[in-house]
Amino acid sequence: MSARLTDRVARLMRAMTIDEKIGQLNMLSGGLVVTGPGEPGDYMAALKAGSVGSLLNLFGRGQVREVQRIAVEETRLGIPLIFGYDVIHGHRTIFPIPLAEASAFDPALWERTARIAALEAAAEGLTLTFAPMLDVSRDPRWGRMAESGGEDPWLTARFAIAKVKGFQGDDLKSPLSIAATAKHLAAYGASVAGRDYAQVEVSERSLHEVYLPPFEAAVAAGVAAIMPAFTDMDNIPLTAHVAILRDMVRRQWGFEGVIISDYTAINELVPHGVAADVTEAAALALKAGVDIDLMGLAYVEGLPKALQSGAVSMEHIDQAAQRVLMLKEELGLFDDPYRDAAVKFDHKARRVEHRDIARDAARRSIVLLSNRGNILPVTQPPRRVAMLGPLANAQAEMLGPWSGAGLIEDMVPFLPGMRAAWHESEILYAPGVSIEGGDTKGIEAAVGFAERADIVLLCLGEERYMSGEAASRARPDLPGHQEALARAVLATGKPVIVLLSSGRPLIVPWLFEVAQAVLATWFLGSEAGHAVADVITGQWSPSAKLPVSWPADRGQVPVFYAHRPSGRPMAPANRYSSKYLDLPNEPLFPFGHGLSYTRFTHRDFNVSPSELRAGAKVTLSVSVRNDGPVAGEETVLFFLRDPVASVSRPVLELKGMGKAWLEPRQTKTVEITLSTDDLAFPGTDYAPRLEPGVIEFFAGPSARDEDLLKAEVHVVV
């Protein structure tokens, strides 16, 4: 870090007292919103005393400017503040939750929505976001799956790169860029039993192959900050994990940015059982490489004592303070603390443009899970439609969890979206039941509307805060009395299309057996209603695919496609094989599943050359034809398998993807190029290893075996 220290930062470091240096490591809440436990405290008094270096949860041009003015004009050294906030899937314009947006399999879209979020956030004074969240997630009981890119490390790494680029732009000094924070390093998504904040049990191989790659990709993309997970790794909390934070992230990966604790995570080293008090906790975190203490006051209270006792050195404090000051330098805050160019950016004037992009993002995120009898699309407006269920007109729920500064009144739920599309149809609306709790008295009226209708749109799912942080669900199914409502409506025999809103796969196999069609509508954001209308009416042919496997039963959890082969793989006729007695091994819907209104055929899968040496490249190509009646977009997934290696490899590994927009009867070739580095794997020492032998490649629309074409290449080392 010191190698790139600017003269200004060096001068400041010489001028600062110990307390002022520690103050730069202290992040407090501005209290505009609440995102964690505890009271925000008097941040203004701390600011004037020189004992705070950054704030979170304070935005709005006027408020931020006044607080920044005090930092610059009324403190001894005039050091500007960083203003952070959870800009996860939009700031004012709300885009689909990350899990939904990952369903688009579209890095260009991910970057575009992050760029808009950055523009809107910067215009309101923010300079840092606590995003992207890069925890590979394979357990739908864990509520924070909603914030993730799904179950696959390769896909999540692409998500990481796109989001970092979108938030930070081409130049972090630009007043319209904000610093990104890659969180939560690492394996937070593997919390035992899907319970938030619980212990984590993963092998070192899983850590290196599954949970670390997205963070390493973010570092390579230039991410400004990293946030360790609340959880532990090998019984050491990540907030104090020297081997991961200092030795690997800083020394091996070369990360020179800022490491920010999660909310009060340093203090939580005490209940974790690795620190006796806040002084010891502060010393452990600082020596591990954590630069900023978020809302814990552990550094302010504990580091002076730790320094006095010799538990930390002045060098530890100096290194952390330098990194914080260098981030402020890189953000251009010393030269432009108010980021005046951002004031001139009128994001309200771009409201229509941003909402158009939100609508496109939302419809690209809707997964058509089932479509029996091709009931969808409904191209001719029905005479009478019943819109039923507690999510039909749930304006607030469209925001989803972690909804930035989005306003409820700006959200378009399903009912007005469909009314705008089918303005000549009679639409009968009844919620039937509440999302959770309540009684069943409204079911009778809802059934009555269904019986009178030509078609039913049944809108079911979760309340938005049932996903996200502190929202683990042991039974991720339909909450409340929604199942009773659904079964009563389905019993009418009318054609029923289900819109399923959630932040995770909901385990409702019975629903797919009876409903004519089911759409995973997740939480789609500002333009949810219009996007759903586009899909239902056929204005947009569904193109999204599941970034997670959708379980048939919670007894399968965790279930994911990239499992390792067993010595006794599942064989239906063999009792002594890896299988259940009462369930299939396969999920209800595999990774990559997603139907369209047209039919795509994949053929002529070629791999060239057929023999590879280290340092060479291989091209994979497949022909895709639209054999259906309408135009549509197909995403081709490319997998590999190393069938014989020194370390047992997964049955499939995603290595690439490509898209093709096809008119009816049109054929295109989808092609990607890989290097032999992409074929390597962590060896017994976890260093990349390329071994000789056959590599199997696969191409197709999903990870389901019968969907895949196969080709081989021979590696010569």
Side-chain angles (χ1 to χ4, degrees):
M1 186 72 186
S2 58
R4 64 188 186 98
L5 215 61
T6 63
D7 291 342
R8 174 161 39 204
V9 170
R11 287 196 305 271
L12 279 172
M13 288 297 298
R14 290 192 294 269
M16 293 168 75
T17 66
I18 293 174
D19 287 343
E20 286 170 331
K21 290 176 180 178
I22 293 173
Q24 285 300 303
L25 315 184
N26 186 29
M27 178 179 279
L28 297 179
S29 175
L32 188 63
V33 294
V34 177
T35 56
E39 296 296 324
D42 189 352
Y43 72 87
M44 192 61 75
L47 172 59
K48 292 179 178 179
S51 59
V52 61
S54 47
L55 292 175
L56 76 154
N57 297 344
L58 184 71
F59 56 87
R61 177 51 56 185
Q63 287 177 281
V64 168
R65 189 178 184 88
E66 175 57 19
V67 175
Q68 190 74 293
R69 185 195 65 77
I70 292 170
V72 171
E73 297 181 10
E74 297 184 18
T75 63
R76 189 178 78 88
L77 295 175
I79 299 174
L81 295 168
I82 291 170
F83 292 88
Y85 189 48
D86 287 287
V87 182
I88 307 296
H89 56 108
H91 184 63
R92 290 294 180 181
T93 304
I94 305 303
F95 300 101
I97 59 171
L99 183 65
E101 204 179 53
S103 303
F105 282 74
D106 190 344
L109 174 68
W110 303 334
E111 181 181 340
R112 186 161 64 246
T113 58
R115 183 88 289 266
I116 291 171
L119 292 173
E120 294 184 352
E124 297 206 72
L126 293 169
T127 47
L128 179 142
T129 174
F130 304 113
M133 199 273 259
L134 303 177
D135 297 305
V136 172
S137 181
R138 296 173 167 180
D139 191 335
R141 294 173 298 182
W142 190 55
R144 302 199 80 165
M145 175 182 272
E147 304 167 50
S148 80
E151 73 177 52
D152 185 76
W154 185 91
L155 187 67
T156 305
R158 306 286 86 67
F159 189 84
I161 295 165
K163 288 301 181 183
V164 168
K165 187 174 181 182
F167 286 131
Q168 297 188 174
D170 296 327
D171 182 4
L172 203 52
K173 269 192 169 64
S174 166
L176 295 175
S177 291
I178 60 177
T181 305
K183 68 180 188 185
H184 311 83
L185 185 75
Y188 187 17
S191 295
V192 167
R195 195 170 58 250
D196 220 347
Y197 318 120
Q199 71 191 65
V200 168
E201 298 289 347
V202 297
S203 69
E204 188 169 359
R205 180 154 299 278
S206 292
L207 178 66
H208 283 272
E209 292 193 7
V210 177
Y211 298 104
L212 289 177
F215 291 94
E216 191 169 8
V219 170
V223 73
I226 288 175
M227 179 179 286
F230 284 117
T231 46
D232 65 344
M233 179 61 58
D234 197 22
N235 299 340
I236 301 172
L238 269 303
T239 307
H241 210 302
V242 172
I244 289 180
L245 299 185
R246 191 185 68 197
D247 297 345
M248 185 182 66
V249 173
R250 292 225 185 267
R251 292 178 182 168
Q252 293 180 30
W253 294 359
F255 177 65
E256 296 183 325
V258 167
I259 295 181
I260 306 173
S261 85
D262 211 331
Y263 203 109
T264 67
I266 296 177
N267 308 63
E268 291 165 20
L269 295 176
V270 176
H272 262 294
V274 298
D277 53 32
V278 71
T279 299
E280 190 173 351
L284 287 172
L286 186 69
K287 287 191 291 186
V290 177
D291 303 306
I292 293 179
D293 171 17
L294 195 158
M295 270 303 288
L297 294 174
Y299 279 177
V300 170
E301 296 174 5
L303 286 184
K305 297 175 185 176
L307 184 64
Q308 187 176 23
S309 70
V312 299
S313 68
M314 199 62 228
E315 183 182 7
H316 291 125
I317 294 173
D318 281 349
Q319 287 175 344
Q322 287 170 8
R323 284 191 285 261
V324 173
L325 293 176
M326 280 302 299
L327 177 56
K328 295 180 179 185
E329 183 81 278
E330 289 165 1
L331 285 165
L333 295 177
F334 289 109
D335 295 320
D336 183 15
Y338 305 114
R339 299 190 122 198
D340 286 326
V343 178
K344 299 173 184 176
F345 178 79
D346 185 0
H347 69 84
K348 294 179 181 178
R350 298 176 69 165
R351 173 184 170 90
V352 173
E353 176 191 346
H354 290 181
R355 289 187 73 100
D356 283 347
I357 295 171
R359 182 172 181 164
D360 187 49
R363 65 189 185 182
R364 289 177 178 273
S365 302
I366 296 169
V367 183
L368 179 58
L369 295 172
S370 63
N371 190 19
R372 295 193 299 121
N374 292 323
I375 187 174
L376 287 172
V378 184
T379 56
Q380 295 299 317
R383 182 175 59 87
R384 183 179 292 129
V385 181
M387 286 202 68
L388 310 175
L391 272 299
N393 198 31
Q395 196 170 23
E397 312 317 324
M398 300 300 103
L399 286 161
W402 294 115
S403 52
L407 301 175
I408 293 174
E409 57 266 30
D410 285 344
M411 301 301 108
V412 179
F414 302 148
L415 180 61
M418 293 309 304
R419 280 180 170 157
W422 284 341
H423 52 85
E424 295 180 358
S425 301
E426 180 184 2
I427 297 183
L428 309 173
Y429 161 65
V433 296
S434 60
I435 294 176
E436 59 175 335
D439 56 43
T440 59
K441 295 178 181 177
I443 292 179
E444 183 178 355
V447 168
F449 282 172
E451 290 173 338
R452 294 172 53 197
D454 301 308
I455 195 168
V456 177
L457 301 183
L458 183 57
C459 308
L460 307 172
E462 296 181 314
E463 188 263 343
R464 64 181 176 127
Y465 289 129
M466 295 179 77
S467 286
E469 187 174 355
S472 298
R473 297 184 61 206
R475 296 185 176 93
D477 53 14
L478 287 174
H481 296 295
Q482 292 184 76
E483 181 174 343
L485 169 66
R487 289 189 182 277
V489 170
L490 290 163
T492 64
K494 291 301 179 79
V496 176
I497 298 165
V498 176
L499 309 181
L500 206 54
S501 297
S502 62
R504 46 160 67 88
L506 295 182
I507 302 175
V508 286
W510 56 270
L511 186 62
F512 296 97
E513 294 173 2
V514 186
Q516 273 65 46
V518 180
L519 293 158
T521 52
W522 315 107
F523 295 112
L524 294 173
S526 299
E527 290 290 307
H530 292 140
V532 163
D534 288 343
V535 169
I536 288 176
T537 62
Q539 296 300 306
W540 176 260
S541 179
S543 58
K545 295 176 177 287
L546 290 176
V548 290
S549 303
W550 193 292
D553 189 278
R554 63 177 179 269
Q556 295 178 318
V557 172
V559 60
F560 49 93
Y561 83 88
H563 58 85
R564 287 197 161 58
S566 165
R568 293 186 178 183
M570 195 278 289
N574 184 0
R575 178 180 177 88
Y576 297 100
S577 65
S578 180
K579 64 180 181 180
Y580 299 106
L581 293 177
D582 53 352
L583 278 176
N585 285 16
E586 295 75 24
L588 187 64
F589 301 113
F591 176 87
H593 173 77
L595 304 179
S596 173
Y597 294 156
T598 192
R599 298 184 306 278
F600 297 107
T601 302
H602 304 74
R603 57 169 65 92
D604 300 328
F605 180 37
N606 292 306
V607 178
S608 179
S610 59
E611 185 174 283
L612 285 177
R613 294 185 180 274
K617 296 184 181 297
V618 58
T619 298
L620 284 63
S621 64
V622 63
S623 175
V624 183
R625 177 179 167 84
N626 183 352
D627 290 323
V630 298
E633 182 181 80
E634 173 68 324
T635 300
V636 180
L637 305 179
F638 294 92
F639 302 91
L640 71 73
R641 184 186 178 209
D642 190 341
V644 181
S646 57
V647 175
S648 179
R649 307 303 303 140
V651 296
L652 283 177
E653 297 177 72
L654 183 65
K655 289 295 180 178
M657 59 188 179
K659 288 183 177 290
W661 177 268
L662 297 164
E663 297 294 331
R665 294 173 297 283
Q666 186 180 14
T667 299
K668 288 184 179 179
T669 297
V670 176
E671 181 178 286
I672 66 166
T673 299
L674 301 175
S675 72
T676 50
D677 289 344
D678 298 310
L679 313 187
F681 60 89
T684 54
D685 59 355
Y686 301 107
R689 181 176 176 84
L690 180 68
E691 294 182 344
V694 171
I695 297 290
E696 299 171 346
F697 288 103
F698 302 87
S702 81
R704 183 187 282 117
D705 287 346
E706 52 265 38
D707 288 344
L708 295 172
L709 302 173
K710 180 181 175 181
E712 294 181 352
V713 67
H714 191 78
V715 176
V716 179
V717 177

